[in-house]
Amino acid sequence: MQKWLIKIMVCAVNAFILAYILPGINIVDFFTAIIVAVVLSLLDAIVKPLLILLTLPATILTLGLFLFVINASIILIDAYFVHGFEVQSFWHALLFGALLSFFNSLVHKKAFPEQIQKEEM
């Protein structure tokens, strides 16, 4: 539970910073960023595996690049459900999703290097 809360907070901070930097993405306040991170976590756990399974032929045909489309779709679904989180277009969602994934993994690897080593064993 503690690890999940830390991931939520890292995701919320990264989403809030990216929304400030990127045009086309708007998050009203930090509390909304926390809600965005929680909903994104739930969508990643429930909806994303179903989408990956349903689009497996397209994912195989594009050598995995279709996963970026699925990530952008998850971001757009998140924006639909969370009031105060706006994404202007699919392309903004694609860029936001790719950068958010990159920065979340970067922060997690730098902040918790001992957990990364345990997971690799």
Side-chain angles (χ1 to χ4, degrees), residues 2-21:
Q2 182 182 5
K3 186 177 177 182
W4 181 75
L5 288 174
I6 291 171
K7 284 186 176 185
I8 293 296
M9 292 307 293
V10 167
C11 183
V13 168
N14 287 336
F16 195 65
I17 291 170
L18 284 172
Y20 182 75
I21 295 171

Side-chain angles (χ1 to χ4, degrees), residues 1 5 22 32 44 55 61 64 70-71 74 102-104 121:
M1 182 72 170
L5 288 174
L22 294 176
T32 305
D44 278 345
T55 61
L61 187 63
I70 293 173
N71 275 347
I74 295 293
F102 174 75
F103 286 120
N104 282 346
M121 291 182 168

Side-chain angles (χ1 to χ4, degrees), residues 24-36:
I25 308 292
N26 186 25
I27 297 178
V28 176
D29 55 7
F30 188 70
F31 182 72
T32 305
I34 294 172
I35 295 172
V36 166

Side-chain angles (χ1 to χ4, degrees), residues 40 42-60 66-78 81 90:
L40 192 60
L42 293 173
L43 289 171
D44 278 345
I46 298 168
V47 177
K48 191 174 182 179
L50 294 173
L51 286 176
I52 290 173
L53 186 63
L54 291 173
T55 61
L56 193 57
T59 304
I60 292 170
F66 196 74
L67 292 174
F68 286 110
V69 174
I70 293 173
N71 275 347
S73 301
I74 295 293
I75 297 292
L76 290 172
I77 293 170
D78 195 356
F81 285 116
F90 172 80

Side-chain angles (χ1 to χ4, degrees), residues 90-104:
F90 172 80
W91 299 108
H92 289 104
L94 188 72
L95 180 61
F96 179 76
L99 290 175
L100 185 64
S101 296
F102 174 75
F103 286 120
N104 282 346

